[in-house]
Amino acid sequence: MTERDNGRSYPAAPGDQIVVRLDETPSSGYRWRLDGVDERVLVPAGDGFRSEAGGLGAGGRRQLRFDAVGPGRTILRLSLRRGWPPDERPVRRFEVTITVR
């Protein structure tokens, strides 16, 4: 999934892996962070970053993986924000609804 999928709903089956790839420039201090997911339905399974330009401070893509582990419906919520201060508002949000059957 990418930012084009923001706001959409998707089906999944137990054992599926959900992969979300979002543009990010970590040197700016802003990173995509998990805000919420029902871990009875989806479990975080990895978080990585790949620079597209290859240089120091370059932007790229954050890849977050989630494993579908049980039946149910959850909203996967991510936000692009700094880690400080803790109450700072995100500059962007990403949400998808996943239904595991």
Side-chain angles (χ1 to χ4, degrees):
M1 295 179 192
T2 66
E3 288 190 61
R4 289 181 298 207
D5 298 300
N6 193 14
R8 295 186 180 174
S9 298
Y10 291 95
D16 285 353
Q17 187 166 81
I18 309 299
V19 179
V20 180
R21 292 180 183 95
L22 301 169
D23 291 340
E24 175 183 289
T25 305
S27 63
S28 69
Y30 290 87
R31 283 193 50 195
W32 284 102
R33 300 174 190 278
L34 177 62
D35 283 341
V37 68
D38 184 343
E39 291 193 15
R40 295 172 296 182
V41 180
L42 290 180
V43 173
D47 177 349
F49 178 80
R50 173 171 267 177
S51 175
E52 292 182 353
L56 183 63
R61 292 229 167 154
R62 173 74 46 194
Q63 179 174 289
L64 299 117
R65 295 184 326 271
F66 300 86
D67 291 333
V69 295
R73 181 178 169 175
T74 186
I75 299 174
L76 172 60
R77 291 184 174 99
L78 304 168
S79 63
L80 184 64
R81 59 186 164 83
R82 295 184 297 181
W84 73 99
D87 58 346
E88 184 177 54
R89 298 183 119 194
V91 294
R92 288 195 331 243
R93 294 183 189 271
F94 177 85
E95 280 188 9
V96 290
T97 301
I98 306 293
T99 303
V100 178
R101 297 180 192 238

